[in-house]
């Protein structure tokens, strides 16, 4: 299996672990920090690390269980845990309550890391509360031989992963991953818990968390940023050249999950603190928006957002061609256009007539100059998109109309493909539909009035480096209507995805670190 695909499979298995281990929770005791010793037996250069509390005395575990139980797929995921993780082979039944719970300790973790082989290293680390019962459990599984490495017995299992017991942890993974963990436990190589970036990133995690994780800078580059779709967009938002690592934690809260994220940067390479701002555009966003992203420097992010929703695959190339054409016409692209999106700007995705509409809102310090610059775009755009040679096609059509009380300029490139813009006060509005211009220029109500926004972002800091709001239910509906989200896998996941109503995120930054607070609304 290719490395990236195997990593995704293992990450998917980790989600299964999240759901199954929580069935051991019971409340009643004050919240205490979770056990974290699993990080001491995985390599320091781990790319991604997911850690979960299985401490039966922690109230946060019980609360997380209650939220997890709201997902329709919880039962099936729980029942299929052992087989999907590869601990057991075909025809081997494992009952969690009977076979695992009696020996399960207070934590479980999954690590993904590089190895000298062509196979990505993946290791499941399960804390053992009763070694005798854990040993009996492993001995009862089908085996196909053993090997010894540095005094540790590694047991092979047919059609399944290898297992070994190191200290008070059961290790499940490929032999290379287990050997690496044995070396770490014996202090022949450094552990993740000793990694300075990991220690910095996880230093202020909430004590009441039910789970947490860490992705190194290399992990973001290799596992997140190259991915298509929403995951790639997230990678574009969080990646920085000086990024050393990102830690996140999951804490049950009233109505959903609170996610705390902290990114740490190399202090010797960091030159400037990312620009923070007081959000001022959300009041212009109409209620009912499916996505709202407010940030500084959106010129680098907008192409990723457009590609995510299926309309931006050619955007970077078209922007390059447009820039060349405008420069030839004497337009200072960097100063007059790109600079608009280096200040506070927002991307809004909404629905008009059942179709997704993308609208960009930016501030302009000089509306008159901006109107002149955009007027000068018409001739280069006409030349850029005009049919060439014998190629069939529609010549660009320019229209001017009034919508929402403002003068909007419309460039129709082809049936169903248009570019609209308007300057309203000190705001520049760019949209794929006149409806997008009208809804922002004269909204009947704003996103601030939307209950889901109040729940997820109502208490964001006064100054931020970015705000993100997702109405997940509406985004899924738009994806279905446009055919961008299809397939049997989506159909199987849809009932669970629909349980997350909305997501809000606010990020802030310091000299060598940034933090983000997310809230997942689960009604």
């Amino acid at each position: 299996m290719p490395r990236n695909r195997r990593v995704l499979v293992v990450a998917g298995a980790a989600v299964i672990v999240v759901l199954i281990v929580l069935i051991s929770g019971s409340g009643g005791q004050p919240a205490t920090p979770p056990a974290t010793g699993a990080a001491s037996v995985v390599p320091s250069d781990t790319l991604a690390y997911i850690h979960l509390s299985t401490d039966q005395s922690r109230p946060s575990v019980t609360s997380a269980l209650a939220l997890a139980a709201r997902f329709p797929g919880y039962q099936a995921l729980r029942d299929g845990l052992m087989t999907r993780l590869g601990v057991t082979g075909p025809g081997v039944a494992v009952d969690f309550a009977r076979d695992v719970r009696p020996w399960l300790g207070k934590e479980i973790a999954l690590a993904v890391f590089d190895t000298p082989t062509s196979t990505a290293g993946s290791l499941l680390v399960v804390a053992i509360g009763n070694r005798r019962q854990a040993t009996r459990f492993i001995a009862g599984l089908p085996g196909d031989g053993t090997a010894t490495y540095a005094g540790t017995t590694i047991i092979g299992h047919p059609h399944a992963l290898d297992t070994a017991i190191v200290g008070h942890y059961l290790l499940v993974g490929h032999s290379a991953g287990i050997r690496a963990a044995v070396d770490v436990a014996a202090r022949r190589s450094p552990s993740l818990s000793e990694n300075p970036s990991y220690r910095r990133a996880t230093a202020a995690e909430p004590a009441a968390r039910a789970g947490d994780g860490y992705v190194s800078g290399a992990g973001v580059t290799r596992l997140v940023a190259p991915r298509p779709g929403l995951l790639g967009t997230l990678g574009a938002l969080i990646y920085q050249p000086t990024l050393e690592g990102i830690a996140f934690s999951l804490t049950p809260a009233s109505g959903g999950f609170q996610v705390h994220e902290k990114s740490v940067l190399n202090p010797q390479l960091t030159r400037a603190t990312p620009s923070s701002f007081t959000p001022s555009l959300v009041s212009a966003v109409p209620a009912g928006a499916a996505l709202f992203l407010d940030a500084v420097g959106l010129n680098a992010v907008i192409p990723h957002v457009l590609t995510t929703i299926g309309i931006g695959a050619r955007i970077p190339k078209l922007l390059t061609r447009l820039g060349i054409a405008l420069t030839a016409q004497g337009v200072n692209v960097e100063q007059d256009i790109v600079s608009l999106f280096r200040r506070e700007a927002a991307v809004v995705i909404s629905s008009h007539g059942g179709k997704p509409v993308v609208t960009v809102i930016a501030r302009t310090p000089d509306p008159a100059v901006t109107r002149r610059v955009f007027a000068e775009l018409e001739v280069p755009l006409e030349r850029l998109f005009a049919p060439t040679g014998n190629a069939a096609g529609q010549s660009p059509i320019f229209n001017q109309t009034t919508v929402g009380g403002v003068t909007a300029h419309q460039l129709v490139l082809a049936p169903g493909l248009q570019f609209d813009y308007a300057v309203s006060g000190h705001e520049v509005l760019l949209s794929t539909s006149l409806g997008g211009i009208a809804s922002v220029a004269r909204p009947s109500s704003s996103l601030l009035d939307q209950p889901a926004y109040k729940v997820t972002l109502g208490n964001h800091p006064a100054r931020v480096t970015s705000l993100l709001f997702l109405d997940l239910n509406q985004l899924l509906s738009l994806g279905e209507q446009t055919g961008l989200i299809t397939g049997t896998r989506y159909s199987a996941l849809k009932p669970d995805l629909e349980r997350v109503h909305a997501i809000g995120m606010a990020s802030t930054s310091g000299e060598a670190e940034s933090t983000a607070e997310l809230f997942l609304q689960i009604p």
Side-chain angles (χ1 to χ4, degrees):
M1 181 181 293
R3 173 175 297 190
N4 285 345
R5 184 180 176 190
R6 182 177 294 275
V7 168
L8 292 176
V9 170
V10 173
V15 175
I16 301 170
V17 177
V18 173
L19 298 177
I20 181 63
V21 298
L22 294 178
I23 69 173
S24 62
S26 60
Q29 298 297 324
T32 56
T36 58
S40 65
V41 296
V42 300
S44 176
D45 60 353
T46 291
L47 298 177
Y49 177 75
I50 299 174
H51 174 264
L52 301 161
S53 173
T54 57
D55 188 342
Q56 299 182 36
S57 68
R58 301 185 68 237
S60 58
V61 174
T62 304
S63 299
L65 167 64
L67 286 169
R70 298 183 188 179
F71 290 82
Y74 171 78
Q75 183 77 25
L77 289 174
R78 184 194 66 184
D79 294 343
L81 170 68
M82 291 301 172
T83 299
R84 294 195 186 196
L85 284 178
V87 176
T88 64
V92 179
V94 173
D95 181 88
F96 178 81
R98 180 193 64 205
D99 301 322
V100 177
R101 181 182 290 174
W103 58 263
L104 182 64
K106 294 184 177 182
E107 59 178 321
I108 187 169
L110 176 73
V112 178
F113 48 88
D114 278 340
T115 68
T117 69
S118 60
T119 303
S122 59
L123 187 69
L124 184 68
V125 183
V126 185
I128 297 173
N130 187 307
R131 187 182 181 95
R132 180 178 60 84
Q133 291 178 319
T135 302
R136 182 186 303 167
F137 167 73
I138 296 300
L141 299 175
D144 61 359
T146 63
T148 301
Y149 178 75
T152 296
T153 300
I154 301 175
I155 304 173
H157 303 278
H159 311 294
L161 300 174
D162 299 334
T163 59
I165 293 179
V166 174
H168 61 279
Y169 291 102
L170 169 65
L171 308 181
V172 183
H174 296 286
S175 180
I178 292 178
R179 290 197 300 270
V182 170
D183 288 336
V184 170
R187 306 192 67 80
R188 288 188 290 270
S189 59
S191 69
L192 181 63
S193 62
E194 299 171 304
N195 184 312
S197 298
Y198 172 81
R199 293 172 67 89
R200 287 176 58 206
T202 59
E205 290 182 319
R209 65 190 183 276
D212 52 77
Y214 172 79
V215 182
S216 69
V220 173
T221 302
R222 300 179 193 180
L223 306 179
V224 181
R227 305 300 303 174
L230 187 59
L231 191 59
T233 301
L234 178 62
L237 287 171
I238 64 177
Y239 175 73
Q240 300 179 60
T242 60
L243 180 67
E244 291 189 345
I246 299 174
F248 56 90
S249 60
L250 193 69
T251 305
S254 177
F257 277 108
Q258 190 74 40
V259 181
H260 174 81
E261 178 271 332
K262 181 178 179 181
S263 301
V264 293
L265 311 176
N266 187 323
Q268 297 179 342
L269 299 179
T270 302
R271 293 291 180 265
T273 301
S275 301
S276 63
F277 62 96
T278 300
S280 61
L281 295 176
V282 63
S283 60
V285 179
L291 179 148
F292 166 65
L293 172 61
D294 192 9
V296 172
L298 277 183
N299 53 295
V301 176
I302 290 175
H304 290 273
V305 175
L306 296 178
T307 300
T308 296
I309 63 171
I311 66 174
R314 297 183 299 164
I315 291 296
K317 184 176 180 179
L318 286 176
L319 290 178
T320 299
R321 292 172 59 193
L322 180 59
I324 294 173
L326 291 174
T327 301
Q329 295 293 320
V331 177
N332 189 326
V333 176
E334 183 71 21
Q335 176 178 315
D336 297 334
I337 299 177
V338 176
S339 63
L340 292 175
F341 307 103
R342 289 195 171 139
R343 292 182 281 269
E344 181 191 4
V347 177
V348 179
I349 297 179
S350 55
S351 175
H352 290 272
K355 297 181 180 180
V357 172
V358 181
T359 304
V360 178
I361 310 171
R363 297 286 191 191
T364 173
D366 194 329
V369 170
T370 301
R371 287 189 181 92
R372 175 182 59 79
V373 169
F374 276 89
E376 293 173 349
L377 289 175
E378 294 188 359
V379 172
L381 285 172
E382 184 175 12
R383 293 175 178 173
L384 180 63
F385 292 104
T388 59
N390 296 324
Q394 172 185 300
S395 296
I397 300 174
F398 291 93
N399 296 317
Q400 181 174 304
T401 185
T402 299
V403 294
V406 301
T407 299
H409 302 264
Q410 182 181 49
L411 169 60
V412 181
L413 301 174
L417 179 60
Q418 65 186 55
F419 167 79
D420 308 310
Y421 76 89
V423 179
S424 176
H426 282 267
E427 292 178 356
V428 181
L429 312 178
L430 311 175
S431 185
T432 59
S433 167
L434 288 174
I437 298 288
S439 65
V440 173
R442 186 173 290 176
S444 57
S445 60
S446 79
L447 189 61
L448 287 171
D449 302 316
Q450 191 164 326
Y453 181 88
K454 293 179 180 179
V455 170
T456 58
L457 282 175
N459 296 317
H460 69 72
R463 293 188 64 81
V464 300
T465 52
S466 68
L467 285 180
L468 175 65
F469 171 78
L470 300 173
D471 184 327
L472 194 58
N473 290 168
Q474 189 176 171
L475 283 176
L476 294 177
S477 178
L478 283 174
E480 291 177 353
Q481 294 172 13
T482 58
L484 297 175
I485 303 178
T486 58
T488 56
R489 179 174 296 181
Y490 167 69
S491 298
L493 291 175
K494 180 181 176 181
D496 294 297
L497 293 173
E498 289 178 334
R499 294 304 300 164
V500 182
H501 179 62
I503 302 173
M505 182 192 79
S507 65
T508 58
S509 295
E511 291 185 1
E513 63 182 44
S514 64
T515 60
E517 297 292 341
L518 295 85
F519 188 85
L520 282 68
Q521 184 186 20
I522 305 174

